[in-house]
């Protein structure tokens, strides 16, 4: 596994943890203000992407996985500002 993981080391700092915590707080605040319909739409989108990613992983299709992640990164931040955080 390590041979395929690359050589980049991750040395998290306090700022990294605080940024992750801030993203989590923003996500929870957004969830609290969503209507049930909005939350259902977000949940549906996540399920669609998860099913596609699982299918690509099962097939070993790294190109498809890259495309799914690209699509997620292009989600409209105005429509779903915390989608990327929720996806992670």
């Amino acid at each position: 596994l390590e041979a395929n993981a690359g050589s980049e080391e991750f040395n998290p700092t306090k700022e990294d943890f605080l940024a992750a915590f801030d993203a989590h707080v923003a996500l929870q605040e957004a969830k609290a203000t969503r209507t049930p319909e909005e939350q259902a739409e977000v949940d549906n989108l996540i399920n669609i992407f998860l099913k596609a990613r699982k299918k690509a992983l099962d097939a070993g299709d790294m190109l498809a996985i890259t495309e799914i992640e690209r699509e997620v990164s292009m989600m409209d931040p105005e429509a779903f500002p915390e989608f990327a955080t929720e996806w992670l």
Side-chain angles (χ1 to χ4, degrees):
L1 180 63
E2 287 183 22
N4 294 321
S7 60
E8 186 175 327
E9 288 188 30
F10 178 62
N11 296 312
T13 63
K14 179 180 178 182
E15 288 77 24
D16 294 324
F17 287 106
L18 290 174
F21 181 72
D22 288 343
H24 179 73
V25 168
L27 170 62
Q28 297 308 314
E29 288 173 344
K31 282 183 165 185
T33 62
R34 290 180 188 156
T35 66
E37 294 81 14
E38 289 171 329
Q39 187 60 51
E41 189 173 351
V42 171
D43 292 343
N44 185 49
L45 284 171
I46 288 174
N47 284 332
I48 289 169
F49 284 122
L50 283 175
K51 286 178 185 176
R53 185 167 67 176
K54 181 179 180 336
K55 183 178 177 183
L57 284 169
D58 289 346
D61 188 347
M62 297 309 291
L63 186 59
I65 294 168
T66 301
E67 180 61 24
I68 292 163
E69 293 298 330
R70 187 189 66 75
E71 287 182 42
V72 168
S73 72
M74 295 177 66
M75 292 293 298
D76 181 6
E78 294 293 320
F80 302 109
E82 291 82 20
F83 183 85
T85 303
E86 197 159 346
W87 170 250
L88 296 174

